[in-house]
Amino acid sequence: MRFALLLLLSVLALSAGAARVLAVQPTDEPLDVIEKNLGEQKALMVDVREDAETNQGYIAGAVLVPLSHLREGREAPQFGVVLAQILAKDKVLYCYCASGQRSLDAAALFAELGYDARSMKHGFKDLVDEGFVVAKPKAE
């Protein structure tokens, strides 16, 4: 009986976690609304691509939080406190990557940490094509 109860609780916990991840969908907000929110400092743009990608360029003003760092760090003590020093919880986080899958994953992880995070339908190249300015890291 005890084993059956533990098994049921485990399945329910996994189902709840899967439902939470599945609930995250790309935002339907048009780019002009996103740009307005960014301009009014109501939001931040977060690039969740890896360092090798962002070393080639990223959207100017974006905060760089590679998905791998987010996944690894969230289990560390005080991770939420450190992250809150970089990303204000009172702002919407618009996450982007190359094609959209990693931004969905990141938005779900940010949501678990208490952020209003939204995955963008547009990947990096799409955003550049739409006129977003590219920043490149300084040569070392």
Side-chain angles (χ1 to χ4, degrees):
M1 180 72 162
R2 178 182 267 175
F3 175 75
L5 180 59
L6 288 174
L7 181 60
L8 177 61
L9 290 174
S10 297
V11 169
L12 289 174
L14 288 172
S15 297
R20 190 169 45 246
V21 171
L22 291 175
V24 175
Q25 299 295 320
T27 184
D28 288 331
E29 294 170 274
L31 281 178
D32 61 330
V33 171
I34 292 171
E35 287 180 295
K36 180 178 182 247
N37 289 339
L38 292 167
E40 293 175 353
Q41 298 183 354
K42 294 178 183 176
L44 298 169
M45 189 168 283
V46 181
D47 188 327
V48 299
R49 298 175 302 146
E50 298 302 317
D51 293 337
E53 296 167 288
T54 58
N55 286 342
Q56 302 302 311
Y58 54 91
I59 301 301
V63 180
L64 309 180
V65 182
L67 179 60
S68 63
H69 295 189
L70 185 59
R71 283 181 174 150
E72 293 166 12
R74 70 186 174 125
E75 300 300 326
Q78 301 297 313
F79 179 72
V81 173
V82 172
L83 193 62
Q85 293 174 357
I86 301 166
L87 301 170
K89 285 198 172 184
D90 64 341
K91 301 201 186 289
V92 173
L93 304 184
Y94 290 111
C95 302
Y96 75 89
C97 61
S99 64
Q101 184 56 53
R102 289 178 288 176
S103 65
L104 281 169
D105 294 346
L109 292 172
F110 281 125
E112 287 178 9
L113 294 167
Y115 288 90
D116 179 357
R118 303 172 191 179
S119 173
M120 295 181 68
K121 292 179 182 178
H122 299 79
F124 173 72
K125 184 177 179 325
D126 300 324
L127 293 169
V128 172
D129 291 345
E130 291 289 335
F132 281 79
V133 176
V134 176
K136 295 197 177 181
K138 295 177 183 174
E140 295 182 31

